[in-house]
Amino acid sequence: MNAPAAATLNPSESIGQLAVELPGATAVFRRLKLDFCCGGHLSLATAVAERGLDLQAVLAELALLQRDSGPTGITEPRALIDHIIARYHEVHRAQLPELIRMAQRVETVHRANPEVPAGLAQLLEDIQHELVTHMQKEENILFPMLKSGGNPFVGQPINVMRAEHVEHGAALERLAALTHDATPPAGACNTWRALYSGIAQLSDDLINHIHLENNVLFPPFEAQSRQAMGGGDCGSSGGCGCS
């Protein structure tokens, strides 16, 4: 997956708007000490100049955050697994800590607001724990098995992953309910808006991630396993829990 060129980002756009539109940008801005909340009205070019930073370097770093939003056409197992790890596993690992940090901030600063998503940070922490554990199992056990061509018993770990995908789908439903489908209230600050933008991307990414595994990667190995065990090919089972 190639990152878009830095030129696709507009340096005259306000830093606050970029924080909302580009999930993950808030972590970059915080590290560079670029104030996207109170100073969010400044253009990126102005904010960067005031900090004495290299605009092109900042644009290049932000461009790396722009990611393809839809599933890939890759079907060859080894290439598909490599894509899933790079596009989804590593992205989830980067997404969640920043979302948790912003959720904690919003819940603390806006605790008197009746629309504050109380419990959001804890829900995101729970999602992070479950998802990281799930991805480690895939990377350490299932994916090496699939890359080696599978075996007659591969259906069992796949069934475990499918069941956990259903649990991930249920967690996304709770996340959508708590955040009103990632819709910030009127007058929400840039941090709150950026948080919900990031949650929307996390949800889309996780749904696409589960789709690729459930509907593209797993079925050929499940069919192979059934045939090896003398069960014939009766079609794949299980859903992602995200529909």
Side-chain angles (χ1 to χ4, degrees):
M1 178 186 59
N2 296 323
T8 62
L9 293 169
N10 185 356
S12 66
E13 188 168 4
S14 74
I15 188 172
Q17 195 60 30
L18 282 169
V20 173
E21 294 176 348
L22 188 59
T26 57
V28 175
F29 293 155
R30 283 194 305 107
R31 180 172 54 77
L32 297 177
K33 295 182 169 52
L34 295 170
D35 182 4
F36 61 88
C37 202
C38 295
H41 62 285
L42 297 176
S43 71
L44 177 65
T46 299
V48 166
E50 288 186 354
R51 290 289 303 163
L53 301 171
D54 182 333
L55 177 60
Q56 292 307 311
V58 174
L59 286 170
E61 185 169 359
L62 292 175
L64 295 175
L65 300 173
Q66 297 176 306
R67 304 180 178 107
D68 296 334
S69 59
T72 176
I74 302 170
T75 57
E76 193 280 318
R78 295 181 67 89
L80 182 56
I81 288 169
D82 289 343
H83 172 79
I84 288 170
I85 291 173
R87 174 59 184 86
Y88 296 106
H89 286 204
E90 295 305 324
V91 171
H92 295 327
R93 289 186 174 109
Q95 288 169 320
L96 281 157
E98 180 65 6
L99 293 178
I100 291 167
R101 186 203 69 80
M102 287 194 289
Q104 291 169 339
R105 177 71 175 168
V106 167
E107 288 186 66
T108 299
V109 173
H110 301 286
R111 58 184 175 274
N113 188 324
E115 297 191 74
V116 73
L120 178 57
Q122 184 59 59
L123 176 56
L124 288 168
E125 288 180 1
D126 293 343
I127 290 173
Q128 180 186 44
H129 173 74
E130 296 300 325
L131 191 53
V132 167
T133 301
H134 174 87
M135 294 187 298
Q136 287 174 339
K137 285 189 246 180
E138 289 186 330
E139 292 170 10
N140 295 333
I141 301 171
L142 180 58
F143 286 175
M145 195 181 299
L146 300 185
K147 280 191 168 188
S148 68
N151 62 55
F153 307 102
V154 77
Q156 181 175 353
I158 288 177
N159 284 340
V160 172
M161 295 300 99
R162 282 188 179 274
E164 292 184 2
H165 287 170
V166 173
E167 294 173 2
H168 298 330
L172 288 182
E173 290 179 359
R174 293 193 295 274
L175 191 59
L178 187 57
T179 63
H180 304 288
D181 290 321
T183 304
C189 69
N190 285 339
T191 299
W192 199 334
R193 293 167 62 210
L195 167 64
Y196 279 18
S197 178
I199 285 173
Q201 185 184 52
L202 170 69
S203 299
D204 287 346
D205 282 351
L206 187 51
I207 288 169
N208 286 333
H209 174 186
I210 291 172
H211 158 70
L212 283 178
E213 292 185 359
N214 277 7
N215 302 323
V216 182
L217 179 62
F218 293 164
F221 290 98
E222 290 170 314
Q224 172 187 311
S225 175
R226 283 192 296 270
Q227 290 173 349
M229 299 294 287
D233 186 358
C234 58
S236 61
S237 62
C240 72
C242 296
S243 58

